[in-house]
Each structure stands twice: as C-alpha cells, then as structure tokens.
C-alpha cells in the first residue's frame, strides 16, 4: 500500500471540558471514498472540519498529502489548498454571482489571471450541469443548484481531497438526487472523498469504506457490504436498525 | 356567472380580459380604498389634511408670498415701508451670501474656494455614478491627490523640500522627543527618591536617542546638503522620485513584471511635478490664508467631508479590532469606542481646542481647524465602529469558514467576503451617522470656528440688516442648505443600497 493521502493519528479534541474526539486513527488512500455516519453529536462533522483546520485540536496529528498539521496548526494554508470542502448550508457568497463565487479563490489565492480562472470555472460549472446560470446570484437558485455550485467552487482549486459535511441534509428530497448524482460522478473520476452523510444508499453505491462514529470515537469501519449486512458492534446494529426501516 | 361546476368540467370559450371596476382604481379608488374606507382612516385623513394646511401654507406665505425680494438695507424689510406684514427678507441673504459661503476668507482669494469646490464636484460626481469607468484612478485622485491640492489651494503656502526632507524631519522630531524624554528623566533623577532608577532609565533612553541620531545621520546630512543647493525642492523631488520608483519596481517583481508598477509610479511623480509647477509651490505658492479666516459653508463642507471620509476607515478598523481574537487589540478598541461614545462632542471639541495644546511639546503646534477635524473624525469613527460591528455580526460564520476552506487569508476573507456584505447591511446606519455628522459640524462654532451656522449668527449682529424677520430668514436659509445636502445623501444612499443589494432580490 502506498502512503495514505490523509492520515489521522491519535487525534483528540476537547470543547472546553467536553471530550469531543477521542483517539481517532484513520488513513485514507488516494482515490478512496469514505462515508462517515453516526448519530448527531457523535463528532463526525468536527472530525472532517479538523482535516482542513476549521477546528483546532489539542492532541494528535493530521497529515494531508505529506503536509503535517499538528496541534499548533502550522502549514494551515498549504493544507487548505489541497482540501476542498462542501458545507451543509452551502455557504456560497451571496453578494457575488455564481461565476465570481467560483473564480474568487483561484484569482486571489492562486493568482490566476481572471480570464483563465473564468474559463476553468465554466468548465466545472458545466460538469455540475449549471453553466447557463453562471451570472445569477446564489439567492436566485434552488438549494440543489446552490449545493452543486458549492461543489464546483471547491473543485476550481483542484483539491486532492474533497470533504463533504452533510451536503444533502438541508435539501428538499427532490434535490437530494441531483447533488448525489454530482458526487457520484466525482467519485467515478477518482476523487478522494470523505463524506459525512445519512444517505445510506449513497454509502452503498459509492463508498469503499463506511466509518461509524459515536460519542467521539470510531466504533466500526468496514466495507459497505459488510457494514450493512453484518454489523459487528451492538451500537452499530442499533443505529442501523433506527435508520434503515 | 356560471353555475356551480359539476365534477367534470371542460372550458369551451376562453374569457376575454375586462378592465377593473372604475371604483377600485385611479383617484376615486384611492379615496375609497385608502383614505376614507373606515372611520379611523377618515379621521386620520382629516388630521393629515389639517396638518398640511397649517404647515405648508404658512411656510409658503412666509417664504414666497409675504417675502421682500429686493432692497439695499433693513428699510426694505420693515412693515411700515413695505406696506404689509413682511415675511422672509431675502435681500439680507443676498447681502450676506458671500459671508455665509466663505466666512472672512479674503475677497481677492475667493476664486480659490470656488476652484476647490469645482474640483471636488468634478472628481466626486463621476465617483458616485456607477456606470462611469476608471473608478480606481478616480478614487485615488479624490481621496489622495485632491486633499493635498485642496490644502494648498485653500490654505496656500509652498514647500521647501519633498519626501526626503519630510522623512528626515519626521525622524528627527521623533529622535528629539526621545532625547528630550531621556533628559527630563535625568533631571528629575537628581531630586527623586528613586533617583538611581530614573538615572539608569534616562541614560538608556538618551543613549537610544543618540543611536537613532547616528542611524538617521546620512538622511539628515543629505537633507541639509540638498537644502544648501539652490534648487532644493526639485533636487529633493528627483531623489525621492528615484527612490520610490526603484522600490515600487523591485516590489512589483523586478525586470519581469515590475514594468507596470514602474510606469505608474513615474506617471504619478510627473503628475505631482506638474501640480507643484502649476501652483508654484516651489516658490512659496499662493498667499497663505490662515484657517481662522475660513468660514461659512466652506468650513461646514471641509469639516463634514473630512469627517465622513476619515471616520469610515477608523470605524471599520475599530469594529474589526473589537472582534479580534488578540486581547490587546480588542481591549484597545473597546476602550477607544466606549471612551469616545461616552463623551459629548462639545467636550471633545473643547478638549481638542483648548486643552490639547497644553499637553503637546512647545515646538509642536497643530492648527485649530485640524484639531477640531481630528476630534470629529475620532468621535464619528467610534460611532461608525458600532454601526459596522452590527453589520459584521449579521454575517454568518459559515461565510468566513467557506472562505478559509478555499484558502483565503484573514485579510482577503475580511476584505472580499465579510466586509462587502457587512457594509451593505448597514448602509442606512452609516449614512445616518454621516448625516448627523454633517449637522453636528455646526458645533464647531463654539470653538471659534465660523461654520455656516456660526457665520449666520455673526451676521445677525449687523445693525444694517436688523429687522424682525432677519433671524427667521437666516435660519430658514441655513435650514434649506442643510436639508439639501442631507436629503441628497439620504437619496443617494437609497440608490446605492438598492443597487448593491441586487443579490437579495429574487
């Protein structure tokens, strides 16, 4: 096995006195798709937010593509350039058009000329199937479209890893599919993905591994087939019985 | 009317469009549906009409119908000469108009004020119209070049040196104050109980001053050498231009990409040279008009425009500082804001005018108008800080998180994502403060600066125009001028708000 692209070892995090992540060890290979699930408050979002240093942590180490991110958060900018993130609430910049949303970071972080950045942005907007809305403002679009723009925006920075923090939880059921389809396409192109989601269908179809978390720790990690067919831990069984009816 | 539709129905003939019933549209519709549609509304309509009757009619009567329009002195505006109860006495305004606009600015030099106002209008109007191009250049001219030109136009005077001399002078002043502090400590060490400690401290500070003196010696020597030559301004100018151009060239990326930066800095210096030559600054410039002669609308505009332009950056900096995670910056910002908000503007102006000179070193004087300007800028800055903070608080955390996740630094996140949204939220509040600042400028009249209102009140003392309606006419005139500016700002802010918030309309 080659060196993992994301390697989390001995990660511990506290919110004040509250121990929110406990001894997390996780290695993600290049091109691997990992779905993280678990009850709310189990620390799934916190975990992936640690990977691009949106949350600081007190102990342990995260290595992304050879760049080391310790508790003192050195190399924070280098890591963020390698990692794209999609949020539950889209977090598009409402005062900028869709196109400007997608060109902002390439222009200001990577110093790419505006024209080139716009070409690249249009390419990614085509890939998420909304090129004709490029000059609209986010507020004029549906939730599903906004989330696809958010995916395109993250992709314009050519990340090596994509993090998804419950990307479909804020969407109407009708729109969940268009976003999931986009993510499936992305997975088929070989993108390394860490996805926090409750979409078990997506996990079955796309994931290489499913990680189940509870109370700040990884309870069980397995291939989707094994995970859904034969969960080992009692807590996993309970969780699955609750969500799969 | 069709019958009740039974369970299955297919329309055969499409219905043609009909005009709305007469009684619901137009003036009659308005009366029926909005003005007289309920007992409360009937009452309110009548009260409104009465209010208009008792305010508009007397105003028009006073300002237009009963007004005296021409005359040479108070005699024209007296009821016994005019033959009716005199309203506004407009010849008085006509006679005092120059004083209300320029104050005691010498009559021969008033073209300079006109030119400055014209320049301001020429530079400001294109800046306010979004469709016109070259906003960057325009803003640079208005915010950087214009204040300097306006200073030399309004105040007059020339320059003896340029960048190099100024830098050397500033450093020397800094150095001298350090040495002075050291000397003061040494002197007091002879009498104090903690003498030895003060002596050590004083010696250290004096030593530091000496070190700085030798560090800046090449600069001061060069300055003295240049001052010795006949063409001190232009030699200094050339040296400064060369140094600055070189620095921008290197910072711009050297041979590879620095060409643009070099070209623009050379262009800037050529422009500066033209201005210096045009205004004859190297030979003493225009005759000096000290600020105690300024007055009228000129002072009102100088104070309010400077206040508006400087208070917003101060406010933004303080608002960001107040939300900073660095304790020292946060505490400083909070203390600064709370101090200035807790003190009345009149106190600030009094302090700036009469007490500040007591604290400053003897050789260091600041012009009275400048002192008032600084006081007003800091005062309004503290208010603007709270306005901006309100806008910052309205921006969800997800915005800066998303920007951070894309790799944007704190500065870029703040200037590209957070501030543009925050400021849009608080445009009404910001303009509210601007308007109140514009009117608060009238308070400078208590520190012996004659703004529009101050000049007006000074003109009341003239016995040549003392009539029963002089004061009313004067205040009406001042009110109209204030209203024009404030209403203009208000309307423009609405326009900007509407335009910048395009993204919030679906």
């Amino acid at each position: 096995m080659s060196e993992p692209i994301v390697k989390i070892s001995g990660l511990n995090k506290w919110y004040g006195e509250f121990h929110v992540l406990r001894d997390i060890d996780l290695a993600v290979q290049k091109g691997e798709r990992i779905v993280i699930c678990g009850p709310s408050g189990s620390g799934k979002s916190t975990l992936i937010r640690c990977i691009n240093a949106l949350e600081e942590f007190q102990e342990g180490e995260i290595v992304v593509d050879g760049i080391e991110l310790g508790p003192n958060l050195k190399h924070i900018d280098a890591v963020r350039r390698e990692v794209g993130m999609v949020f539950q609430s889209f977090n598009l910049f409402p005062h900028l058009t869709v196109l400007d949303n997608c060109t902002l970071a390439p222009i200001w972080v990577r110093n790419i000329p505006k024209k080139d950045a716009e070409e690249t942005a249009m390419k990614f907007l085509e890939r998420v199937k909304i090129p004709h809305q490029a000059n609209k403002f986010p507020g004029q679009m549906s939730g599903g479209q906004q989330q696809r723009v958010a995916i395109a925006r993250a992709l314009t920075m050519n990340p090596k890893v994509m993090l998804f923090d419950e990307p479909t939880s804020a969407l109407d059921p009708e729109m969940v599919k268009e976003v999931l389809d986009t993510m499936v396409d992305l997975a088929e192109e070989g993108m390394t993905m860490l996805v926090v989601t409750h979409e078990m269908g997506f996990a079955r179809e796309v994931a290489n591994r499913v990680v189940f978390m509870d109370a700040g720790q990884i309870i069980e990690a397995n291939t989707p087939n094994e995970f859904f067919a034969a969960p080992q831990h009692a807590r996993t069984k309970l969780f699955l019985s609750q969500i799969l009816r | 009317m069709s019958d009740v539709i039974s369970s299955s129905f297919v329309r055969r003939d499409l219905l043609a469009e009909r005009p709305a019933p007469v009684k619901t549209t137009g003036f009659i519709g308005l009366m029926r549906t909005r003005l007289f549609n309920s007992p409360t509304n009937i009452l309110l309509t009548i009260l409104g009409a009465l209010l208009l009757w008792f305010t508009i009619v007397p105003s028009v009567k006073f300002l237009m119908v009963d007004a005296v329009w021409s005359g040479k002195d108070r005699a024209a505006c007296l009821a016994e000469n005019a033959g009716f109860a005199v309203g506004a006495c407009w010849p008085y305004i006509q006679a005092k108009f120059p004083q209300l606009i320029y104050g005691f600015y010498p009559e021969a030099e008033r073209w300079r004020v006109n030119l400055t106002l014209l320049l301001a209008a020429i530079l400001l109007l294109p800046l306010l119209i979004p469709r016109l191009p070259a906003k960057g250049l325009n803003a640079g001219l208005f915010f950087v070049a214009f204040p300097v030109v306006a200073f030399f136009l309004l105040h007059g005077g020339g320059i003896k040196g340029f960048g190099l001399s100024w830098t050397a002078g500033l450093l020397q002043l800094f150095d001298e104050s350090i040495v002075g502090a050291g000397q003061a400590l040494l002197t007091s060490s002879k009498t104090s109980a903690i003498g030895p400690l003060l002596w050590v401290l004083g010696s250290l500070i004096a030593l530091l001053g000496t070190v700085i003196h030798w560090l800046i010696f090449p600069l001061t020597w060069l300055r003295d050498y240049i001052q010795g030559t006949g063409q001190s301004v232009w030699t200094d100018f050339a040296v400064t231009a060369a140094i600055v151009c070189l620095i921008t060239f290197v910072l711009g990326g050297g041979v590879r990409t620095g060409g643009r930066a070099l070209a623009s800095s050379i262009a800037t210096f050529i422009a500066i040279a033209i201005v210096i030559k045009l205004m004859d600054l190297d030979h003493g410039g225009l005759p000096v008009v000290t600020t105690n002669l300024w007055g009228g609308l000129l002072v009102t505009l100088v104070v309010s425009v400077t206040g508006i332009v400087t208070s917003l950056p101060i406010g933004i900096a303080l608002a960001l500082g107040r939300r900073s995670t660095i304790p020292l910056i946060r505490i400083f910002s909070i203390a600064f804001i709370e101090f200035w908000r807790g003190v009345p503007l009149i106190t600030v102006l009094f302090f700036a005018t009469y007490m500040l000179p007591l604290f400053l070193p003897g050789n260091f004087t600041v012009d009275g108008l400048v002192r008032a300007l600084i006081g007003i800028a800091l005062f309004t800055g503290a208010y603007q800080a709270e306005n901006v903070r309100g806008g910052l608080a309205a921006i969800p955390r997800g915005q800066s998180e998303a920007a951070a996740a894309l790799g944007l630094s704190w500065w870029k996140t703040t200037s590209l994502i957070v501030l543009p949204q925050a400021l849009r939220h608080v445009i009404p509040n910001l303009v509210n403060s601007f308007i109140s600042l514009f009117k608060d400028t009238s308070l400078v009249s208590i520190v012996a600066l004659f703004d529009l209102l101050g000049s007006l009140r000074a003109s009341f003392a003239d016995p040549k125009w003392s009539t029963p309606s002089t004061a009313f006419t004067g205040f009406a005139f001042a009110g109209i001028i204030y209203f024009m500016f404030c209403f203009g700002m208000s309307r423009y802010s609405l326009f900007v708000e509407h335009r910048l918030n395009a993204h919030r309309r679906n």
Side-chain angles (χ1 to χ4, degrees), chain A residues 73-185:
Chain A
L73 301 179
K74 266 194 286 178
H75 312 306
I76 192 166
D77 292 329
V79 167
R80 281 178 178 164
R81 261 175 262 147
E82 304 293 332
V83 180
M85 178 133 185
V86 175
F87 298 85
Q88 178 179 355
S89 47
F90 328 135
N91 290 347
L92 293 177
F93 307 131
H95 62 303
L96 300 176
T97 61
V98 165
L99 187 62
D100 289 339
N101 262 281
C102 295
T103 56
L104 183 97
I107 290 173
W108 289 95
V109 179
R110 294 215 194 273
N111 295 321
I112 292 171
K114 189 163 187 262
K115 204 165 151 282
D116 299 357
E118 280 178 356
E119 258 169 41
T120 320
M122 284 310 291
K123 203 181 75 192
F124 283 108
L125 285 176
E126 249 157 60
R127 223 163 90 181
V128 299
K129 305 191 179 67
I130 28 184
H132 48 282
Q133 317 241 35
N135 291 316
K136 280 195 182 174
F137 286 104
Q140 299 165 322
M141 308 174 86
S142 73
Q145 290 170 327
Q146 289 193 46
Q147 193 60 296
R148 284 186 283 151
V149 172
I151 295 175
R153 179 178 71 176
L155 290 175
T156 55
M157 290 294 282
N158 284 322
K160 297 206 169 97
V161 181
M162 284 284 282
L163 309 175
F164 293 84
D165 187 3
E166 307 204 22
T168 56
S169 305
L171 296 176
D172 290 345
E174 275 182 287
M175 297 168 183
V176 169
K177 188 175 177 305
E178 61 185 62
V179 171
L180 288 181
D181 286 348
T182 310
M183 290 167 65
V184 171
D185 289 347

Side-chain angles (χ1 to χ4, degrees), chain B residues 207-224:
Chain B
L207 184 71
L208 182 73
T210 319
V211 171
I212 293 177
H213 175 76
W214 287 107
L215 276 180
I216 63 172
F217 181 73
L219 207 59
T220 47
W221 177 81
L222 192 62
R223 192 257 320 256
D224 294 340

Side-chain angles (χ1 to χ4, degrees), chain B residues 305-489:
Chain B
V305 170
T306 319
I308 287 171
V309 170
T310 50
S311 66
L312 190 58
I314 294 174
I316 291 174
L318 285 172
L320 292 173
R322 192 163 186 170
R323 290 165 59 92
S324 165
T325 49
I326 304 165
L328 205 64
I329 294 180
R330 193 174 60 242
I331 291 169
F332 171 79
S333 305
I334 292 175
F336 190 95
I337 293 171
E338 296 305 337
F339 172 77
W340 289 99
R341 286 205 310 165
V343 183
L345 182 56
I346 292 188
T347 317
V348 172
L349 290 172
F350 259 117
F351 184 87
T353 310
Y354 299 118
M355 289 176 72
L356 201 62
L358 302 179
F359 295 108
L360 290 174
N363 56 349
F364 196 75
T365 56
V366 183
D367 184 85
L369 180 64
V370 175
R371 288 199 295 257
L373 280 180
I374 293 174
I376 286 181
L378 296 180
F379 183 84
T380 315
Y383 276 87
Q384 295 296 34
E386 288 300 280
N387 287 339
V388 175
R389 194 167 68 95
L392 291 175
I395 308 301
R397 229 181 80 176
Q399 290 290 309
S400 44
E401 278 180 356
L406 285 167
L408 273 83
S409 64
W410 183 87
W411 285 106
K412 284 175 186 163
T413 304
T414 304
S415 59
L416 296 171
I417 306 298
V418 178
L419 269 183
Q421 294 186 56
L423 292 181
R424 278 165 216 223
H425 281 300
V426 294
I427 290 172
N429 310 22
L430 294 177
V431 176
N432 200 16
S433 291
F434 288 154
I435 288 177
S436 100
L437 163 69
F438 188 87
K439 293 182 296 184
D440 283 351
T441 54
S442 55
L443 288 176
V444 299
S445 61
I446 64 149
V447 290
L449 291 170
F450 286 91
D451 74 318
L452 177 58
L453 215 56
S455 303
L456 180 76
R457 296 180 57 165
S459 75
F460 290 162
D462 186 355
K464 195 180 163 197
W465 285 103
S466 103
T467 71
S469 64
T470 301
F472 300 120
T473 312
F475 283 123
F477 177 72
I480 290 170
I481 290 193
Y482 277 111
F483 182 80
M484 273 178 359
F485 279 98
C486 295
F487 189 63
M489 278 194 263

Side-chain angles (χ1 to χ4, degrees), chain B residues 180-192 198-199 202:
Chain B
Q183 297 293 347
L185 278 179
L186 282 179
T187 333
S188 60
S189 75
K190 285 170 192 150
T191 54
S192 169
L198 288 182
W199 186 84

Side-chain angles (χ1 to χ4, degrees), chain B residues 248-268:
Chain B
T248 50
F249 182 61
V250 172
L251 286 182
V255 184
R256 203 162 41 83
T257 54
R260 245 183 96 93
L262 183 67
S264 57
S265 59
I266 288 177
T268 310

